[in-house]
Amino acid sequence: KPAPETEKPKETVKPKPTPTPKPTIAPQAPKQSIKPKPEPKPEPTKEPEAPQSSRSYNAAFSWGHMIANDESKRYRYGANGPDFYDCSSFTQAAYAKSGINLPRTSSQQYAAAPTKVPLSQLRAGDLVFSSSNGGSSFYHVAIYLGGGQVLHARNPASGISVTSLGYINNLHPYAGRY
């Protein structure tokens, strides 16, 4: 009698060892080459200018012309308006119309001007002055209108008017700019 067949042992399959993962290196971003920043182009050089005022003198000019054309308004030394003005009270009142506060006398107005400019750089709105002592003090002030014209309270005979800048005697070489 044949021997009973014994069951063949089942083949055991050994699991294949799982390979150990190799450490991965994170991909690096490509190196960026540093580009030099472009140098700024230099601005063309300009001749230095006297500072410009951002103020508007239109109200001062308008009021000054109105007073000059009003026959009832006159010049009187030491007067403060509203019917009589001397040169510095006239400039003081005119500039007040444009919101600019000036001191009372022409010497004080020159001293208080934030910027002094040579007459070659005059702009409308600058104040021009007369001095017989080299600028130690001033006896007259006028408002420069542009185009060689000034507006000022001149004297009792001439009153308040527009004249050429050349009318002013002993013109100081610097104007005051507010």
Side-chain angles (χ1 to χ4, degrees), residues 63 127 130 162:
W63 180 86
L127 297 179
S130 293
V162 174

Side-chain angles (χ1 to χ4, degrees), residues 12-75:
T12 56
V13 180
K14 287 186 180 176
K16 290 184 181 176
T18 53
T20 345
K22 291 183 181 176
T24 56
I25 299 173
Q28 293 183 349
K31 288 186 180 178
Q32 294 179 351
S33 59
I34 299 173
K35 294 179 185 175
K37 292 183 182 178
E39 301 245 347
K41 292 181 183 177
E43 300 257 341
T45 56
K46 296 177 184 174
E47 289 297 314
E49 293 181 12
Q52 286 197 12
S53 173
S54 60
R55 298 179 187 245
S56 170
Y57 301 100
N58 293 339
F61 297 162
S62 177
W63 180 86
H65 281 347
M66 180 186 73
I67 295 299
N69 292 322
D70 184 340
E71 296 291 324
S72 71
K73 309 299 181 193
R74 304 206 166 236
Y75 176 95

Side-chain angles (χ1 to χ4, degrees), residues 16-177:
K16 290 184 181 176
T18 53
T20 345
K22 291 183 181 176
T24 56
I25 299 173
Q28 293 183 349
K31 288 186 180 178
Q32 294 179 351
S33 59
I34 299 173
K35 294 179 185 175
K37 292 183 182 178
E39 301 245 347
K41 292 181 183 177
E43 300 257 341
T45 56
K46 296 177 184 174
E47 289 297 314
E49 293 181 12
Q52 286 197 12
S53 173
S54 60
R55 298 179 187 245
S56 170
Y57 301 100
N58 293 339
F61 297 162
S62 177
W63 180 86
H65 281 347
M66 180 186 73
I67 295 299
N69 292 322
D70 184 340
E71 296 291 324
S72 71
K73 309 299 181 193
R74 304 206 166 236
Y75 176 95
R76 183 181 293 156
Y77 180 77
N80 290 307
D83 295 319
F84 295 92
Y85 295 91
D86 68 5
C87 63
S88 55
S89 68
F90 177 75
T91 56
Q92 183 184 46
Y95 275 61
K97 301 299 180 189
S98 284
I100 303 166
N101 295 316
L102 298 182
R104 173 59 183 87
T105 69
S106 54
S107 290
Q108 292 168 339
Q109 289 174 7
Y110 183 80
T115 305
K116 310 298 190 288
V117 295
L119 297 180
S120 63
Q121 295 179 17
L122 276 178
R123 292 189 188 137
D126 291 344
L127 297 179
V128 293
F129 298 86
S130 293
S131 176
S132 58
N133 58 16
S136 295
S137 63
F138 299 91
Y139 65 84
H140 188 69
V141 60
I143 302 168
Y144 185 68
L145 298 172
Q149 300 292 300
V150 290
L151 176 60
H152 52 143
R154 295 165 52 190
N155 58 50
S158 304
I160 302 166
S161 62
V162 174
T163 67
S164 78
L165 181 61
Y167 169 85
I168 299 177
N169 294 321
N170 298 316
L171 191 60
H172 187 63
Y174 290 89
R177 182 170 293 159

